[in-house]
Amino acid sequence: MEYYLIVSAIMFFAGIYGFFVRRNTLAILISIELILNATDINFAVFNRFLFPNGLEGHFFALFSIAISAAETAVAIAIMINIYRNIRSIQVRNLNEMKW
Amino acid sequence: MNLTILILILPLISFLILGVWGKWLKPAQAGLLGTISLALVTLLSYYTAWQYFTMPRTPEGTFETLMPYNFTWLAFTETLHFDMGILLDPISVMMLVVISTVSLMVHIYSLGYMHGEKGFQRYYAFLSLFTMSMLGLVVATNIFQMYLFWELVGVSSYLLIGFYYTKPAAVAASKKAFIVTRFADLGFLVGILFYGFYAGTFTFSPTQTALVAGGAAMLPLALGLMFIGGAGKSAMFPLHIWLPDAMEGPTPVSALIHAATMVVAGVYLVARMFPLFIAYAPETLEIIGWVGAFTAFFAAAIACVQTDIKRVLAFSTISQIGFMIVALGVCTGSDPHEGGLGYMASMFHLFTHAMFKALLFLGAGSIIHAVHSNEMKDMGGLRKYMPVTHITFLIACLAIAGIPPFSGFFSKDEILAASFAYSPVMGWVMTGIAALTAFYMFRLYFGIFWGKEVEVHGSHKPHESKLPMTFPLMFLAAVTCVAGFIPFGEFISSNGQAYHIHLDLTVAVTSVVIAVIAIVLATLIYMRPAQPVADKLAKNLAGLHSAASNRFYVDEIYQFVTHKIIFRYISTPIAWFDRHVIDGFFNFLAWGTNATSNSIRNLQSGQIQQYALVFLLGALALILILLLTF
Amino acid sequence: MGLTLETILFFVLAAFITVFSILTVVTTRIVRSATYLLFVLLATAGIYFMLGYTFLGSVQIMVYAGGIVVLYVFSILLTSGEGDKAEKLKRSKFLAGLGASVAGGMIILFITLTHQFGPTSTPAPVEVSIKSIGYALMSGDKYGYILPFEAVSILLLACIIGGLLIARKR
């Protein structure tokens, strides 16, 4: 089972690295997808190996997928709006709040 | 008796109205308001005096001490408490009469003298403030209330001396007056604290003291310190330096404050505490007497060579207050027949001196108004042009020289009698000073009204002043003529019982003869336009003459001590310490805060990735901590 | 465990996931990044199938690989296209990111591998029937998921409306 967890850990920290390093906001969102996926794998793995009689992890992963889809949609809508306003989606341009 | 509170409240209201709304009042209205309120106060004072002195006496034969108002403001113990109230006893009632009369005369006089000046309403407001403070001082029931009004008097004096605040000399003089008296008041305050601690009370009567153990031995020190405060206000040597400079204020102010009322506050203080002095500190009283004698001589010597008429009068005031202090100082007991005569003599002289010195100053103001200058060299032969001023001034000079039947003779005679009763040395010293007094006063008189006329302002000849200015002169001259015949001892004496004044013929004749000799000397030297004798004397005694003209360099000594010694060796290091160490510490704190905030400012950059990085690092740190501790 | 087909498959998928997830975050061109993400998601679906959760894997492919990646590609093309070869990555940022993620990885792996997870079972992967999934999803008793289901549906509704409002043309 640990091998699954290693895989998901690698994917998780790859996502974190991408979150820190990438300049394009959409790339950051992609890294977030990686993170979420890694956690979904973890849930599924735990459910399968530690609690084979229940389905909690399975359903958690299911709902996680649904929710991350919704969140991605909204995030992309926001990014499009930002792009319309400042013509750039570099994350270093997004450092001031509204004033 | 319950109307006595109005005596304090009316001037206060007048001050507030004139102070707040004075700008919108016309000068004539302001002057009228001040004068009318003071006229009411004067009437009330006279009424109170009449009521007080016609009341039946107590079984011991004294006038009863009344306190129509007395409430405890702040109580420390049963006996030790701050009170505020009104105390009526013979000397306070007398002072009420004196202060209100002189103040009323000054108010009326100022209607003419200050006519057309800028700040007229402000002037009357300050006059009202001063009158209220002085009245409050004399009716104080305990030493603390007296101190409170003492400081108020000092403030009013500062405001009035510095009335012409655009003149640097006036500003400097007002500061000097305030600082010197404030410095003396430090001694006063320490004395009050000592007194409160060791005597256990703040009141004035020896019967109410609750002495702590060993207290009686410390009381002379306490009373001596309190006298230092009085010495500051009454311009005793060496704290006399502010009074000549205070002549920068308007002349009616000099008449009110620096002749008749404020400067006698010190005398009044000693008189107020006289029972305490007799009971606990008779040696201190002797020291006070000698201080007064020295001051009287010192000031008289300087007055002989001054050329500014207001300075002559200022030094004359210092000298006469010296007389009053001496009279108190030579008392050795509280029975007027044995050693207590000085008390009555001092109060009598206070009364008469207030009247004729105010007259002298107001007359000087009239002269200054006419010739637009203070210096004697710009005056001469004025008797042709200003008859009323001339006659009233002459009356006052005769009074201060001690010539009967004017009031000065009677009061000065009692002082000399008391001095002789104390010791012949003191008696002859005071007689000599009295002769000096007569001499310089008549030098002043001849210098102004006789001698060569000076052409001032071309064709503009000096003329007599208007009625608002001459009426007070005439009134005060009338008082000076008759006041000597008041049986003063009936009302005021050291133990309160009626004392019948009897003239000691030897003393009286001696003093009159010596005074007349001095006057004749002055006449011979100064009456003619040419003054060869005076010039020869000045040349032969040049050193003494210049020293006296420079007031014996006391001011220079003060300057030297403060600037070269205190400022350089004490103040400068302290200032350095304050600026670099204390301020430096706080500057360092501020610098530290600034540096810290600058260094962590970049944590809030707005960059999301940086925030996430910090977040992750924090989470990892937490995990590590949990890992390592479990 | 022996060198069964299962382990080979697992290693292939694991290598796939590792390589492509690292490539996703390292490549400079963003469209390639989206493509690599697609591969990662497909491999993840493969893992789900291996674990026996066929429904989950299908949902993964449909929603993630089919919906979300398409969405990303659309938005990439809408906003910047490929002309996004910005300047070189700053040294400090690279090192900070690398350091933080490697450190984090080390710590998590350490925890995971040293933790005793208890008895694990490796029976043959039994496919979870869609009927039981359906029952569980719609039932309201102790192990029923009707409440999250409804909640997620409302969330989706809100996200639809929100997304429309945010991104509409003014």
Side-chain angles (χ1 to χ4, degrees):
Chain A
M1 181 192 68
E2 289 77 19
Y3 304 104
Y4 288 97
L5 297 179
I6 295 174
V7 169
S8 76
I10 292 176
M11 195 154 93
F12 183 82
F13 282 100
I16 285 186
Y17 172 79
F19 186 93
F20 289 149
V21 160
R22 307 281 290 191
R23 287 176 302 272
N24 194 330
T25 319
L26 289 169
I28 293 178
L29 288 172
I30 289 176
S31 314
I32 293 177
E33 295 306 320
L34 278 178
I35 296 171
L36 286 169
N37 260 285
T39 64
D40 291 341
I41 294 181
N42 257 24
F43 277 113
V45 162
F46 284 139
N47 191 11
R48 171 70 178 78
F49 286 102
L50 297 177
F51 305 97
N53 297 321
L55 281 175
E56 284 84 15
H58 172 272
F59 276 108
F60 199 99
L62 200 62
F63 285 125
S64 169
I65 292 174
I67 290 175
S68 70
E71 158 246 320
T72 301
V74 175
I76 288 184
I78 293 176
M79 287 316 304
I80 289 181
N81 211 0
I82 289 176
Y83 180 75
R84 283 208 199 114
N85 282 328
I86 62 175
R87 301 305 293 187
S88 158
I89 48 170
Q90 300 289 307
V91 77
R92 64 163 178 251
N93 295 335
L94 298 173
N95 61 349
E96 277 179 3
M97 293 227 222
K98 182 175 165 136
W99 52 279
Chain B
M1 282 301 147
N2 290 330
L3 293 175
T4 48
I5 192 74
L6 281 179
I7 296 182
L8 291 181
I9 290 187
L10 275 175
L12 179 65
I13 294 181
S14 159
F15 162 66
L16 288 171
I17 294 179
L18 288 172
V20 173
W21 287 288
K23 227 178 355 182
W24 293 283
L25 290 172
K26 284 212 285 286
Q29 291 169 329
L32 209 58
L33 176 61
T35 312
I36 287 182
S37 78
L38 223 92
L40 286 171
V41 168
T42 313
L43 285 172
L44 277 171
S45 309
Y46 288 167
Y47 177 66
T48 308
W50 181 77
Q51 261 203 326
Y52 184 75
F53 285 123
T54 52
M55 268 182 3
R57 293 180 185 245
T58 61
E60 294 101 34
T62 62
F63 285 107
E64 192 188 333
T65 303
L66 289 176
M67 288 204 206
Y69 299 91
N70 192 18
F71 69 94
T72 305
W73 187 13
L74 183 64
F76 298 107
T77 71
E78 275 288 313
T79 49
L80 193 64
H81 41 86
F82 288 161
D83 292 341
M84 297 291 274
I86 294 185
L87 171 77
L88 294 176
D89 82 352
I91 49 173
S92 74
V93 171
M94 176 201 81
M95 286 300 289
L96 282 179
V97 169
V98 167
I99 296 169
S100 50
T101 310
V102 175
S103 186
L104 180 63
M105 290 301 119
V106 165
H107 273 77
I108 298 177
Y109 185 88
S110 305
L111 288 173
Y113 187 85
M114 300 292 284
H115 183 75
E117 290 265 1
K118 205 165 85 77
F120 193 86
Q121 304 89 328
R122 179 167 59 99
Y123 176 82
Y124 271 90
F126 291 157
L127 276 185
S128 296
L129 177 67
F130 174 80
T131 312
M132 182 215 54
S133 323
M134 194 69 204
L135 288 169
L137 196 156
V138 300
V139 296
T141 54
N142 57 5
I143 192 78
F144 173 74
Q145 184 184 348
M146 189 182 251
Y147 182 71
L148 200 150
F149 280 100
W150 191 275
E151 296 300 332
L152 263 178
V153 167
V155 166
S156 324
S157 163
Y158 166 81
L159 291 168
L160 280 164
I161 296 174
F163 181 72
Y164 299 120
Y165 57 81
T166 50
K167 236 176 101 179
V171 171
S174 66
K175 273 196 297 192
K176 186 174 183 178
F178 195 61
I179 292 175
V180 171
T181 50
R182 200 76 188 86
F183 172 66
D185 290 346
L186 178 64
F188 194 6
L189 183 62
V190 175
I192 291 180
L193 294 173
F194 269 31
Y195 176 71
F197 181 72
Y198 284 109
T201 176
F202 283 121
T203 60
F204 293 119
S205 57
T207 51
Q208 286 180 7
T209 56
L211 289 172
V212 304
M218 292 297 284
L219 277 186
L221 177 64
L223 293 170
L225 281 170
M226 286 203 255
F227 172 68
I228 291 180
K233 270 270 186 307
S234 291
M236 295 284 107
F237 181 87
L239 295 166
H240 65 282
I241 49 174
W242 63 272
L243 191 51
D245 286 19
M247 297 296 121
E248 296 288 341
T251 312
V253 165
S254 304
L256 179 60
I257 297 186
H258 307 124
T261 42
M262 183 176 110
V263 291
V264 300
V267 180
Y268 183 75
L269 176 70
V270 179
R272 205 6 115 224
M273 308 212 303
F274 187 74
L276 288 165
F277 271 107
I278 293 291
Y280 295 107
E283 321 79 34
T284 318
L285 213 51
E286 280 191 48
I287 300 174
I288 290 176
W290 283 105
V291 168
F294 179 76
T295 310
F297 172 70
F298 180 82
I302 297 178
C304 290
V305 299
Q306 295 294 314
T307 53
D308 181 338
I309 60 174
K310 283 181 75 174
R311 300 290 194 278
V312 174
L313 292 175
F315 282 104
S316 164
T317 308
I318 300 177
S319 184
Q320 294 300 304
I321 295 174
F323 266 88
M324 295 178 217
I325 295 277
V326 164
L328 282 170
V330 300
C331 288
T332 49
S334 57
D335 186 345
H337 300 278
E338 302 151 21
L341 177 61
Y343 181 88
M344 193 269 309
S346 172
M347 291 294 109
F348 195 12
H349 197 61
L350 198 158
F351 182 82
T352 57
H353 172 265
M355 300 299 162
F356 60 65
K357 191 44 78 60
L359 173 57
L360 280 171
F361 266 104
L362 293 180
S366 177
I367 295 163
I368 293 172
H369 202 66
V371 303
H372 302 285
S373 156
N374 285 14
E375 293 290 327
M376 267 165 59
K377 63 181 184 344
D378 296 327
M379 306 165 190
L382 285 177
R383 70 188 185 281
K384 296 193 210 93
Y385 303 105
M386 308 176 71
V388 177
T389 312
H390 175 220
I391 298 295
T392 53
F393 203 87
L394 182 60
I395 291 177
C397 285
L398 288 170
I400 199 174
I403 305 291
F406 299 110
S407 56
F409 162 69
F410 293 95
S411 54
K412 196 173 284 200
D413 188 62
E414 295 301 319
I415 295 184
L416 292 175
S419 313
F420 273 110
Y422 171 74
S423 97
V425 173
M426 181 66 98
W428 282 111
V429 164
M430 297 317 288
T431 315
I433 301 177
L436 261 183
T437 310
F439 179 74
Y440 67 70
M441 284 311 294
F442 273 89
R443 166 178 175 267
L444 179 69
Y445 165 74
F446 285 120
I448 299 174
F449 293 104
W450 295 74
K452 195 155 59 82
E453 274 182 44
V454 175
E455 285 301 315
V456 174
H457 286 193
S459 58
H460 179 99
K461 287 266 179 260
H463 56 87
E464 186 58 83
S465 313
K466 308 185 286 291
L467 184 63
M469 289 170 69
T470 50
F471 168 73
L473 296 178
M474 295 190 283
F475 182 83
L476 287 171
V479 173
T480 312
C481 291
V482 303
F485 298 102
I486 298 177
F488 210 75
E490 304 283 332
F491 303 113
I492 294 179
S493 73
S494 44
N495 60 2
Q497 294 164 1
Y499 170 78
H500 188 67
I501 297 180
H502 50 269
L503 237 35
D504 186 347
L505 268 179
T506 44
V507 172
V509 168
T510 325
S511 68
V512 173
V513 162
I514 292 190
V516 168
I517 294 177
I519 295 178
V520 166
L521 210 56
T523 318
L524 286 177
I525 300 179
Y526 292 105
M527 186 160 128
R528 306 277 171 224
Q531 298 169 352
V533 181
D535 298 332
K536 204 153 57 131
L537 269 176
K539 214 162 36 163
N540 286 345
L541 300 170
L544 202 58
H545 188 269
S546 74
S549 295
N550 287 324
R551 310 174 190 173
F552 292 109
Y553 303 113
V554 179
D555 282 298
E556 280 77 9
I557 294 175
Y558 269 108
Q559 285 273 14
F560 177 78
V561 170
T562 49
H563 281 257
K564 296 280 185 302
I565 298 179
I566 296 183
F567 285 1
R568 196 193 289 180
Y569 295 112
I570 300 179
S571 311
T572 317
I574 294 179
W576 181 91
F577 183 80
D578 179 57
R579 187 153 327 117
H580 288 100
V581 176
I582 297 184
D583 278 2
F585 173 68
F586 288 105
N587 285 348
F588 170 73
L589 281 182
W591 172 86
T593 311
N594 203 17
T596 314
S597 70
N598 271 341
S599 62
I600 61 177
R601 193 225 260 164
N602 291 324
L603 273 180
Q604 294 258 323
S605 59
Q607 301 292 341
I608 307 170
Q609 292 169 321
Q610 180 189 308
Y611 290 174
L613 187 64
V614 172
F615 181 92
L616 180 73
L617 289 175
L620 286 178
L622 260 176
I623 293 175
L624 269 176
I625 291 172
L626 284 174
L627 199 58
L628 295 174
T629 53
F630 283 109
Chain C
M1 38 180 191
L3 205 62
T4 59
L5 185 61
E6 196 184 342
T7 51
I8 297 175
L9 197 56
F10 169 71
F11 276 116
V12 166
L13 282 174
F16 216 69
I17 287 180
T18 313
V19 165
F20 279 115
S21 61
I22 291 179
L23 275 178
T24 308
V25 296
V26 164
T27 182
T28 47
R29 298 210 220 159
I30 192 143
V31 183
R32 292 197 186 180
S33 180
T35 316
Y36 297 145
L37 179 71
L38 176 65
F39 292 144
V40 167
L41 295 173
L42 287 174
T44 312
I47 291 193
Y48 288 143
F49 283 126
M50 264 187 63
L51 291 174
Y53 296 131
T54 46
F55 181 67
L56 189 57
S58 332
V59 167
Q60 167 90 355
I61 294 178
M62 279 192 294
V63 171
Y64 251 124
I68 289 182
V69 171
V70 170
L71 195 55
Y72 269 117
V73 169
F74 266 127
S75 67
I76 287 169
L77 295 175
L78 268 178
T79 55
S80 60
E82 298 104 29
D84 185 53
K85 299 268 195 77
E87 72 269 10
K88 210 159 140 39
L89 184 60
K90 259 187 8 202
R91 207 70 166 134
S92 59
K93 196 169 181 190
F94 165 71
L95 284 175
L98 189 65
S101 19
V102 167
M106 291 296 140
I107 294 173
I108 297 299
L109 281 175
F110 172 73
I111 295 173
T112 323
L113 295 175
T114 55
H115 188 260
Q116 312 296 329
F117 278 107
T120 63
S121 68
T122 47
V126 174
E127 185 182 323
V128 177
S129 70
I130 196 84
K131 184 170 167 193
S132 61
I133 290 178
Y135 270 134
L137 203 54
M138 288 296 167
S139 72
D141 18 311
K142 191 174 175 207
Y143 293 106
Y145 289 94
I146 183 72
L147 184 60
F149 179 77
E150 297 298 334
V152 166
S153 60
I154 293 179
L155 173 74
L156 287 172
L157 177 68
C159 288
I160 290 171
I161 298 176
L164 281 174
L165 274 177
I166 292 174
R168 66 182 168 173
K169 209 98 176 144
R170 298 219 180 249

